[in-house]
């Protein structure tokens, strides 16, 4: 009894979509997308997709037949197309690359030498808690801090024990002593401008570790933050 390969092929293709998720045309397109040139490569790829060897071989033969079923017309199978051998490509000798000398980078800029004990980073929460100790003068204290920062944009306000230290470029140039009775703005300046209403610095000994200041302004009113005092703050920041 002879085997009806045409019927077996029709049954195989009829259930191909249900069994694999793709019909014949979709499998032909998938194989073409892989760009596989040799029969064994196609079969190996199909087996990795879940086909048994016999079914993978059958799909490969259909692909090699231009995507048409082998037994579509009945009778004996159509002769297989002979795969054309692709002549080997000649390897081209790569041209010798030109070596471009690496540019010598400029020397790195010398960082400024920090002070022996660098000031700690500013802590907004701690600064706010310190300003709250000024009680009725808290708005004035916040205004002074804001004006110093506006005058010296790169200045950092660091809360300490009872005072705010202002530093820039590794040096502390000003401090604001906080108390409920008054505010004292200390400045480290050698040549304060006239009209700045400054006097020799006098601070409570309880300000432990406070930097040395040469001048100070006793502040109880925002109107005391005059242009002359702002100029003095700028000079202190520059070390003048």
């Amino acid at each position: 009894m002879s085997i009806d390969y045409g019927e077996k092929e029709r049954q195989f293709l009829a259930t191909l979509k249900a069994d694999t998720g793709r019909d014949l045309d979709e499998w032909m397109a998938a194989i073409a997308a892989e760009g596989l040139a040799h029969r064994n490569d196609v079969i190996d790829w199909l087996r990795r997709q879940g086909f048994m060897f016999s079914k993978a071989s059958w799909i490969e033969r259909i692909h090699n037949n231009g995507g048409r079923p082998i037994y579509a017309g009945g009778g004996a199978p159509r002769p297989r197309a002979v795969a054309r051998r692709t002549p080997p490509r000649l390897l081209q000798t790569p041209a010798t690359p030109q070596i471009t000398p690496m540019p010598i980078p400029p020397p790195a800029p010398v960082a400024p030498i920090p002070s022996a004990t660098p000031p700690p980073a500013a802590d907004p929460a701690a600064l706010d808690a310190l300003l709250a100790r000024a009680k009725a003068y808290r708005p004035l204290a916040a205004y002074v801090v804001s004006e110093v920062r506006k005058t010296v944009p790169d200045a950092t306000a660091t809360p300490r024990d009872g005072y705010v230290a202002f530093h820039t470029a590794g040096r502390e140039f000003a401090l604001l002593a906080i108390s409920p009775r008054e505010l004292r703005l200390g400045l480290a300046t050698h040549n304060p401008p006239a009209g700045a209403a400054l006097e020799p610095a006098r601070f409570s000994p309880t300000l432990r570790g406070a930097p040395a200041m040469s001048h100070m302004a006793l502040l109880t009113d925002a109107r005391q933050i005059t242009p002359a005092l702002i100029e003095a703050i700028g000079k202190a920041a520059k070390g003048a």
Side-chain angles (χ1 to χ4, degrees):
M1 181 177 180
S2 61
I3 300 175
D4 187 349
Y5 288 103
E7 181 60 26
K8 289 178 64 70
E9 185 180 62
R10 282 191 295 272
Q11 293 176 2
F12 169 50
L13 298 180
T15 60
L16 186 61
K17 177 77 171 182
D19 293 341
T20 67
R22 290 175 175 171
D23 59 19
L24 181 62
D25 290 339
E26 291 172 329
W27 278 112
M28 295 299 102
I31 295 171
E34 291 295 319
L36 304 171
H38 300 287
R39 172 177 178 268
N40 289 339
D41 293 338
V42 174
I43 294 174
D44 289 343
W45 181 80
L46 288 169
R47 293 191 67 186
R48 289 196 296 272
Q49 311 311 307
F51 284 97
M52 297 177 58
F53 178 82
S54 60
K55 299 298 177 63
S57 179
W58 206 323
I59 291 290
E60 184 279 327
R61 292 179 64 194
I62 294 175
H63 176 261
N64 199 41
N65 193 39
R68 298 183 301 275
I70 304 300
Y71 301 97
R78 302 182 185 184
R80 291 174 56 85
V82 178
R84 298 174 59 183
R85 293 182 175 272
T86 303
R89 292 184 297 179
L90 297 178
L91 297 178
Q92 296 181 353
T93 303
T96 302
Q98 295 182 352
I99 300 176
T100 303
M102 295 291 291
I104 300 176
V110 179
I113 300 175
S115 58
T117 306
D123 183 346
L127 178 60
D128 188 63
L130 175 60
L131 297 184
R133 292 166 60 179
K135 300 196 181 290
Y137 288 117
R138 176 177 180 170
L140 176 60
Y143 178 64
V144 172
V145 172
S146 174
E147 288 301 302
V148 173
R149 284 173 165 169
K150 188 185 302 181
T151 305
V152 188
D154 61 345
T156 301
T158 303
R160 299 281 178 80
D161 187 12
Y163 67 97
V164 181
F166 299 94
H167 51 86
T168 182
R171 57 180 292 272
E172 293 176 326
F173 65 92
L175 69 81
L176 179 64
I178 304 292
S179 80
R181 297 185 303 276
E182 63 189 14
L183 304 178
R184 297 193 179 206
L185 176 64
L187 299 175
T189 177
H190 306 295
N191 186 24
L198 295 174
E199 57 185 275
R202 292 176 287 105
F203 292 98
S204 169
T206 59
L207 300 183
R208 293 186 296 273
M213 298 288 121
S214 59
H215 297 76
M216 77 168 193
L218 187 63
L219 303 176
T220 57
D221 193 298
R223 289 172 292 184
Q224 294 174 269
I225 313 300
T226 62
L229 183 58
I230 294 298
E231 183 183 352
I233 294 171
K235 281 192 171 186
K238 297 175 181 177

